[in-house]
Amino acid sequence: MAATQLPFQTSSSSFSKPLRHSLTRNPFSQNPILPLRPASLKPLVLRAVVSQNPSKSLTQDPQTTPFKHCFSKSSDGFLYCEGLKVQEVIDSVERRPFYLYSKPQITRNVEAYKEALEGLSSVIGYAIKANNNYKILEHLRQLGCGAVLVSGNELRLALRAGFDPTKCIFNGNGKLLEDLVLAAQEGVFINVDSEFDLENIVAAARIAGKRVNVLLRINPDVDPQVHPYVATGNKNSKFGIRNEKLQWFLDAVKAHPNELKLVGAHCHLGSTITKVDIFRDAAVLMVKYIDEIRSQGFQVDYLNIGGGLGIDYYHAGAVLPTPRDLIDTVRDVVQSQGLNLIIEPGRSLIANSCCLVNRVTGVKTNGTKNFIVIDGSMAELIRPSLYDAYQSWFLLLHLMLRFLLLMWLALFVSLRIS
Ligand SMILES: Cc1ncc(COP(=O)(O)O)c(C=O)c1O
């Protein structure tokens, strides 16, 4: 188990190679290298609705394969992690608060995906944004994962952690030219997100002197039925390209055979998805796009269906789809087309392996509200305060007694004052 978040220096990265251009902007863009005009559009008007009968697409009953958790509350009232009393960890560490991770749980999570993917040619690209702890990255790399990156820093971090660049995918709608150049030099796959992004990737390929393997990030316009903040695959999304624009992008790739090699298509519907039939809807649509792409002479071998599998936030015994449920819904679609499957799990690989351990600092009352003050803050965990996300919490027994004592004292003091 690891009980730290390691700081990581990126400024002195050995991967920053000197370049002749300042790269604050695309040096080629004075003379636009792409015909940024509506190309001869051959509209592919495909749109999905959510499957009406999810059970048809599931080949295994999700009720039979619940995810295992490494944290459990014992009858003595204490929290245990892999059989270790969390209180004992608290007593042994010097600095608080801290994140406590279970390495075996991370391994089990990866194994669950690997087992689900058996028989398929695949890449598990861990979405580094879910947790960029360096030790965790090294562990995931040792387990054979690739990495999904959304910034230059994540790219440098992944390279430093030793990820195989050909198992890395550089995503995002605002990728910087200098980072694209690094990705091109290292042979990382790059997702094309927009017209200007494609222009920058072409420029990066020229500067790096390398032909770049690219995937087109297409919005299949499937409603993932999740919080709007984490729904990213619909037609108004800030990510990816509208499916109606596919032909323009195919023409642009054809116009740059020395710079771009189109190897696949990508989509990411959103996060916290709990109905796996949505992934099937998306895969079916994506395969239609791939058919269209192949019919124009491209040899595309990769289908990237992104991340997004939901997790057990509430710890209330909900039965959620497992990696096997997810993969089994798309298996036949992928196999029938002879595609390599890329998946990009983030939270489902890491979230259940970790807890933030805080201590109660004191209790205070303002107005009609009582506050339990702890030594952790939004600096350590921003989600609940950022967008009201639910956070499961657990009060250890002796801390609870301490808390009750403090509450009693506060009440006693306020009675004496009044
Ligand atoms: C492109 C992409 N891939 C993968 C992920 C990881 O998603 P999740 O953590 O829901 O698995 C994200 C999350 O935002 C993403 O944007």
Side-chain angles (χ1 to χ4, degrees):
M1 264 175 280
T4 52
Q5 281 284 115
L6 296 183
F8 181 74
Q9 307 295 332
T10 51
S11 52
S12 61
S13 167
S14 58
F15 293 97
S16 315
K17 293 182 184 160
L19 291 161
R20 274 176 290 125
H21 306 274
S22 72
L23 300 188
T24 49
R25 64 189 171 81
N26 183 342
F28 301 101
S29 62
Q30 283 105 331
N31 306 310
I33 51 177
L34 296 174
L36 292 174
R37 60 185 157 74
S40 50
L41 284 181
K42 192 162 119 198
L44 292 169
V45 191
L46 297 168
R47 194 183 182 285
V49 290
V50 174
S51 295
Q52 298 304 310
N53 188 356
S55 59
K56 274 194 182 154
S57 56
L58 285 175
T59 53
Q60 186 176 0
D61 179 359
Q63 310 262 345
T64 58
T65 49
F67 244 13
K68 278 195 202 143
H69 279 282
C70 57
F71 293 100
S72 56
K73 189 179 158 187
S74 173
S75 54
D76 61 6
F78 283 93
L79 186 67
Y80 284 76
C81 177
E82 306 287 352
L84 184 69
K85 210 174 190 176
V86 173
Q87 183 59 53
E88 284 172 12
V89 186
I90 296 176
D91 294 339
S92 66
V93 298
E94 279 175 18
R95 294 180 62 188
R96 305 186 192 103
F98 62 91
Y99 278 98
L100 178 66
Y101 296 100
S102 160
K103 193 172 175 183
Q105 183 66 53
I106 299 172
T107 307
R108 286 195 291 271
N109 294 346
V110 174
E111 291 304 326
Y113 272 106
K114 277 189 182 167
E115 282 164 23
L117 287 161
E118 258 168 37
L120 288 176
S121 169
S122 62
V123 175
I124 304 175
Y126 170 60
I128 285 189
K129 67 167 80 166
N131 188 314
N132 62 12
N133 181 298
Y134 191 66
K135 289 283 171 202
I136 288 174
L137 296 186
E138 284 188 319
H139 183 53
L140 287 165
R141 191 254 303 152
Q142 280 158 7
L143 291 170
C145 290
V148 172
L149 322 158
V150 290
S151 72
N153 278 347
E154 287 189 1
L155 171 62
R156 288 171 183 81
L157 194 56
L159 293 171
R160 182 174 289 199
F163 281 95
D164 175 352
T166 63
K167 286 186 178 177
C168 291
I169 302 105
F170 192 16
N171 252 316
N173 61 5
K175 299 185 282 294
L176 302 181
L177 182 59
E178 63 190 83
D179 300 329
L180 286 169
V181 173
L182 176 59
Q185 283 167 341
E186 298 294 331
V188 166
F189 282 29
I190 303 180
N191 270 352
V192 179
D193 193 90
S194 66
E195 290 86 343
F196 78 80
D197 194 41
L198 188 140
E199 192 177 352
N200 281 338
I201 298 168
V202 170
R206 288 181 183 167
I207 294 165
K210 291 260 178 82
R211 193 172 179 218
V212 180
N213 287 323
V214 292
L215 294 95
L216 292 177
R217 178 168 180 170
I218 304 172
N219 286 330
D221 199 12
V222 171
D223 177 5
Q225 301 180 12
V226 295
H227 192 287
Y229 285 15
V230 289
T232 53
N234 49 41
K235 66 180 176 192
N236 293 321
S237 169
K238 65 184 171 205
F239 297 109
I241 63 172
R242 287 287 300 273
N243 46 35
E244 295 93 338
K245 290 186 177 173
L246 179 58
Q247 191 57 52
W248 186 94
F249 284 90
L250 296 183
D251 291 342
V253 175
K254 279 179 206 163
H256 297 91
N258 297 328
E259 291 89 359
L260 306 177
K261 179 168 192 279
L262 183 59
V263 296
H266 169 267
C267 69
H268 172 74
L269 303 176
S271 290
T272 70
I273 298 173
T274 54
K275 295 177 182 152
V276 285
D277 52 309
I278 288 166
F279 289 102
R280 186 180 177 86
D281 289 342
V284 168
L285 282 176
M286 294 300 290
V287 160
K288 290 195 174 135
Y289 299 131
I290 286 177
D291 276 348
E292 172 62 26
I293 296 169
R294 281 177 168 171
S295 75
Q296 297 190 30
F298 291 101
Q299 196 198 329
V300 288
D301 296 326
Y302 290 91
L303 170 60
N304 183 340
I305 57 164
L309 195 61
I311 56 165
D312 179 13
Y313 274 110
Y314 293 89
H315 296 204
V319 180
L320 293 169
T322 63
R324 183 173 293 280
D325 299 325
L326 163 58
I327 301 304
D328 281 352
T329 55
V330 300
R331 177 182 295 278
D332 59 329
V333 182
V334 174
Q335 264 171 339
S336 66
Q337 303 296 317
L339 290 162
N340 305 308
L341 180 67
I342 303 177
I343 52 168
E344 304 183 333
R347 69 193 77 206
S348 58
L349 277 184
I350 197 74
N352 67 348
S353 72
C354 164
C355 79
L356 173 60
V357 182
N358 296 277
R359 277 178 98 94
V360 175
T361 315
V363 178
K364 62 186 268 188
T365 304
N366 269 346
T368 55
K369 277 193 160 182
N370 296 322
F371 297 91
I372 304 169
V373 182
I374 55 172
D375 57 5
S377 69
M378 63 191 280
E380 286 80 25
L381 183 66
I382 197 171
R383 289 181 69 255
S385 44
L386 181 67
Y387 53 91
D388 220 9
Y390 174 81
Q391 181 64 38
S392 180
W393 62 282
F394 177 84
L395 204 53
L396 293 186
L397 186 63
H398 93 283
L399 291 178
M400 187 138 72
L401 290 174
R402 208 164 155 219
F403 163 66
L404 289 174
L405 185 67
L406 284 164
M407 283 301 283
W408 182 83
L409 272 174
L411 185 69
F412 180 73
V413 171
S414 64
L415 285 177
R416 289 279 300 235
I417 290 170
S418 56

CSV table of all heavy atoms in Angstrom, one decimal, residues 125 127 129-130 148 150 171 191 217 232 239 266 268 270-273 306-309 344-348, ligand 1:
chain,number,residue,atom,x,y,z
A,125,GLY,N,-6.0,1.7,-21.9
A,125,GLY,CA,-5.3,3.0,-21.8
A,125,GLY,C,-5.9,3.7,-20.5
A,125,GLY,O,-7.0,4.2,-20.5
A,127,ALA,N,-6.7,6.4,-18.1
A,127,ALA,CA,-6.9,7.9,-18.2
A,127,ALA,C,-6.3,8.5,-17.0
A,127,ALA,O,-6.8,8.6,-15.9
A,127,ALA,CB,-8.4,8.2,-18.3
A,129,LYS,N,-5.8,11.4,-15.9
A,129,LYS,CA,-6.5,12.4,-15.2
A,129,LYS,C,-7.2,11.9,-13.9
A,129,LYS,O,-7.4,12.6,-13.0
A,129,LYS,CB,-7.5,13.2,-16.1
A,129,LYS,CG,-8.7,12.3,-16.5
A,129,LYS,CD,-9.8,13.1,-17.1
A,129,LYS,CE,-9.6,13.4,-18.5
A,129,LYS,NZ,-10.8,13.9,-19.2
A,130,ALA,N,-7.5,10.6,-13.9
A,130,ALA,CA,-8.3,10.0,-12.8
A,130,ALA,C,-7.4,10.0,-11.5
A,130,ALA,O,-7.9,10.2,-10.4
A,130,ALA,CB,-8.7,8.6,-13.1
A,148,VAL,N,-3.8,7.3,-21.3
A,148,VAL,CA,-4.6,8.3,-22.0
A,148,VAL,C,-4.3,9.7,-21.4
A,148,VAL,O,-4.4,9.9,-20.2
A,148,VAL,CB,-6.1,8.0,-22.0
A,148,VAL,CG1,-6.9,9.1,-22.6
A,148,VAL,CG2,-6.4,6.7,-22.7
A,150,VAL,N,-4.3,14.1,-21.5
A,150,VAL,CA,-5.0,15.2,-22.0
A,150,VAL,C,-4.2,16.5,-21.8
A,150,VAL,O,-4.8,17.6,-21.8
A,150,VAL,CB,-6.4,15.3,-21.3
A,150,VAL,CG1,-7.3,14.2,-21.8
A,150,VAL,CG2,-6.3,15.3,-19.8
A,171,ASN,N,-5.2,13.0,-26.1
A,171,ASN,CA,-6.6,13.5,-26.3
A,171,ASN,C,-6.7,15.0,-26.0
A,171,ASN,O,-5.8,15.5,-25.4
A,171,ASN,CB,-7.5,12.8,-25.3
A,171,ASN,CG,-8.3,11.8,-25.9
A,171,ASN,OD1,-8.9,12.0,-26.9
A,171,ASN,ND2,-8.5,10.6,-25.2
A,191,ASN,N,-5.4,11.9,-31.0
A,191,ASN,CA,-6.8,12.0,-31.5
A,191,ASN,C,-7.0,13.4,-32.1
A,191,ASN,O,-6.6,14.4,-31.6
A,191,ASN,CB,-7.7,11.9,-30.3
A,191,ASN,CG,-8.1,10.5,-30.0
A,191,ASN,OD1,-7.8,9.6,-30.8
A,191,ASN,ND2,-8.8,10.3,-28.9
A,217,ARG,N,-11.7,11.6,-33.4
A,217,ARG,CA,-12.6,11.6,-32.3
A,217,ARG,C,-14.0,12.0,-32.8
A,217,ARG,O,-14.2,13.2,-33.1
A,217,ARG,CB,-12.2,12.4,-31.1
A,217,ARG,CG,-13.2,12.4,-30.0
A,217,ARG,CD,-12.7,13.0,-28.7
A,217,ARG,NE,-13.7,12.9,-27.7
A,217,ARG,CZ,-13.5,13.2,-26.4
A,217,ARG,NH1,-12.3,13.5,-26.0
A,217,ARG,NH2,-14.5,13.1,-25.5
A,232,THR,N,-20.0,13.8,-22.7
A,232,THR,CA,-19.1,14.4,-23.6
A,232,THR,C,-19.3,13.9,-25.1
A,232,THR,O,-18.5,14.4,-25.9
A,232,THR,CB,-17.6,14.2,-23.2
A,232,THR,OG1,-17.5,12.8,-23.0
A,232,THR,CG2,-17.3,14.9,-21.9
A,239,PHE,N,-15.9,18.5,-27.2
A,239,PHE,CA,-14.9,17.6,-27.7
A,239,PHE,C,-15.3,16.9,-29.0
A,239,PHE,O,-16.5,16.7,-29.3
A,239,PHE,CB,-14.7,16.5,-26.6
A,239,PHE,CG,-14.2,17.0,-25.3
A,239,PHE,CD1,-15.0,17.0,-24.2
A,239,PHE,CD2,-12.9,17.5,-25.2
A,239,PHE,CE1,-14.5,17.5,-23.0
A,239,PHE,CE2,-12.4,18.0,-24.0
A,239,PHE,CZ,-13.3,18.0,-22.9
A,266,HIS,N,-12.3,7.2,-32.6
A,266,HIS,CA,-12.4,7.3,-31.1
A,266,HIS,C,-13.7,7.9,-30.7
A,266,HIS,O,-14.2,8.8,-31.4
A,266,HIS,CB,-11.3,8.1,-30.6
A,266,HIS,CG,-11.4,8.5,-29.1
A,266,HIS,ND1,-12.0,9.7,-28.7
A,266,HIS,CD2,-11.0,7.8,-28.0
A,266,HIS,CE1,-11.9,9.7,-27.4
A,266,HIS,NE2,-11.4,8.7,-26.9
A,268,HIS,N,-15.8,9.1,-26.7
A,268,HIS,CA,-15.9,9.0,-25.3
A,268,HIS,C,-17.2,9.6,-24.9
A,268,HIS,O,-17.4,10.8,-25.1
A,268,HIS,CB,-14.7,9.7,-24.6
A,268,HIS,CG,-14.9,9.8,-23.1
A,268,HIS,ND1,-14.7,8.7,-22.3
A,268,HIS,CD2,-15.2,10.8,-22.3
A,268,HIS,CE1,-14.9,9.0,-21.0
A,268,HIS,NE2,-15.3,10.3,-21.0
A,270,GLY,N,-18.9,9.8,-22.0
A,270,GLY,CA,-19.0,10.5,-20.8
A,270,GLY,C,-18.6,9.6,-19.7
A,270,GLY,O,-18.0,8.5,-19.9
A,271,SER,N,-18.8,10.0,-18.4
A,271,SER,CA,-18.3,9.3,-17.3
A,271,SER,C,-19.5,8.9,-16.4
A,271,SER,O,-20.6,9.4,-16.6
A,271,SER,CB,-17.3,10.1,-16.5
A,271,SER,OG,-16.2,10.3,-17.2
A,272,THR,N,-19.2,7.9,-15.5
A,272,THR,CA,-20.2,7.4,-14.5
A,272,THR,C,-21.4,6.7,-15.2
A,272,THR,O,-22.5,6.7,-14.7
A,272,THR,CB,-20.7,8.5,-13.6
A,272,THR,OG1,-21.6,9.4,-14.3
A,272,THR,CG2,-19.6,9.3,-12.9
A,273,ILE,N,-21.1,6.0,-16.3
A,273,ILE,CA,-22.2,5.3,-17.0
A,273,ILE,C,-22.5,4.0,-16.4
A,273,ILE,O,-21.6,3.2,-16.0
A,273,ILE,CB,-21.7,5.1,-18.5
A,273,ILE,CG1,-21.5,6.5,-19.2
A,273,ILE,CG2,-22.7,4.3,-19.3
A,273,ILE,CD1,-20.9,6.4,-20.6
A,306,GLY,N,-13.4,4.7,-25.5
A,306,GLY,CA,-13.2,5.7,-24.4
A,306,GLY,C,-13.4,5.0,-23.0
A,306,GLY,O,-13.2,3.8,-22.9
A,307,GLY,N,-13.6,5.8,-22.0
A,307,GLY,CA,-13.8,5.3,-20.7
A,307,GLY,C,-15.2,5.4,-20.3
A,307,GLY,O,-16.1,5.4,-21.1
A,308,GLY,N,-15.4,5.6,-19.0
A,308,GLY,CA,-16.8,6.0,-18.5
A,308,GLY,C,-17.5,5.0,-17.7
A,308,GLY,O,-18.7,5.4,-17.2
A,309,LEU,N,-17.0,3.8,-17.4
A,309,LEU,CA,-17.8,2.9,-16.6
A,309,LEU,C,-18.0,3.5,-15.2
A,309,LEU,O,-17.1,4.0,-14.5
A,309,LEU,CB,-17.0,1.6,-16.5
A,309,LEU,CG,-17.8,0.4,-16.0
A,309,LEU,CD1,-19.0,0.1,-16.9
A,309,LEU,CD2,-16.9,-0.8,-15.9
A,344,GLU,N,-10.5,3.3,-22.4
A,344,GLU,CA,-9.8,4.4,-21.6
A,344,GLU,C,-10.4,4.5,-20.2
A,344,GLU,O,-10.8,5.6,-19.8
A,344,GLU,CB,-10.0,5.7,-22.4
A,344,GLU,CG,-9.5,5.7,-23.8
A,344,GLU,CD,-9.6,7.1,-24.5
A,344,GLU,OE1,-10.5,7.9,-24.0
A,344,GLU,OE2,-8.8,7.3,-25.4
A,345,PRO,N,-10.4,3.4,-19.4
A,345,PRO,CA,-11.0,3.6,-18.1
A,345,PRO,C,-10.1,4.5,-17.2
A,345,PRO,O,-8.9,4.5,-17.2
A,345,PRO,CB,-10.9,2.1,-17.5
A,345,PRO,CG,-9.9,1.4,-18.3
A,345,PRO,CD,-9.8,2.1,-19.6
A,346,GLY,N,-10.8,5.3,-16.4
A,346,GLY,CA,-10.1,6.2,-15.5
A,346,GLY,C,-10.6,5.8,-14.1
A,346,GLY,O,-10.0,4.9,-13.4
A,347,ARG,N,-11.7,6.3,-13.6
A,347,ARG,CA,-12.1,6.1,-12.3
A,347,ARG,C,-12.4,4.6,-11.9
A,347,ARG,O,-12.2,4.2,-10.8
A,347,ARG,CB,-13.3,7.0,-11.9
A,347,ARG,CG,-14.6,6.6,-12.6
A,347,ARG,CD,-15.6,7.7,-12.5
A,347,ARG,NE,-15.3,8.8,-13.4
A,347,ARG,CZ,-15.7,10.1,-13.2
A,347,ARG,NH1,-16.4,10.4,-12.1
A,347,ARG,NH2,-15.4,11.0,-14.0
A,348,SER,N,-12.9,3.8,-12.9
A,348,SER,CA,-13.2,2.4,-12.6
A,348,SER,C,-11.9,1.6,-12.3
A,348,SER,O,-12.0,0.5,-11.8
A,348,SER,CB,-14.0,1.8,-13.7
A,348,SER,OG,-13.3,1.9,-14.9
B,1,LIG,C1,-11.4,11.1,-23.4
B,1,LIG,C2,-11.6,10.5,-22.1
B,1,LIG,N1,-11.2,9.2,-21.9
B,1,LIG,C3,-11.3,8.6,-20.7
B,1,LIG,C4,-11.8,9.3,-19.6
B,1,LIG,C5,-12.0,8.6,-18.3
B,1,LIG,O1,-13.3,8.5,-17.9
B,1,LIG,P1,-13.7,7.6,-16.6
B,1,LIG,O2,-12.9,8.1,-15.5
B,1,LIG,O3,-15.2,8.0,-16.5
B,1,LIG,O4,-13.5,6.2,-17.0
B,1,LIG,C6,-12.2,10.6,-19.7
B,1,LIG,C7,-12.8,11.4,-18.6
B,1,LIG,O5,-13.1,12.5,-18.6
B,1,LIG,C8,-12.1,11.3,-21.0
B,1,LIG,O6,-12.4,12.5,-21.2
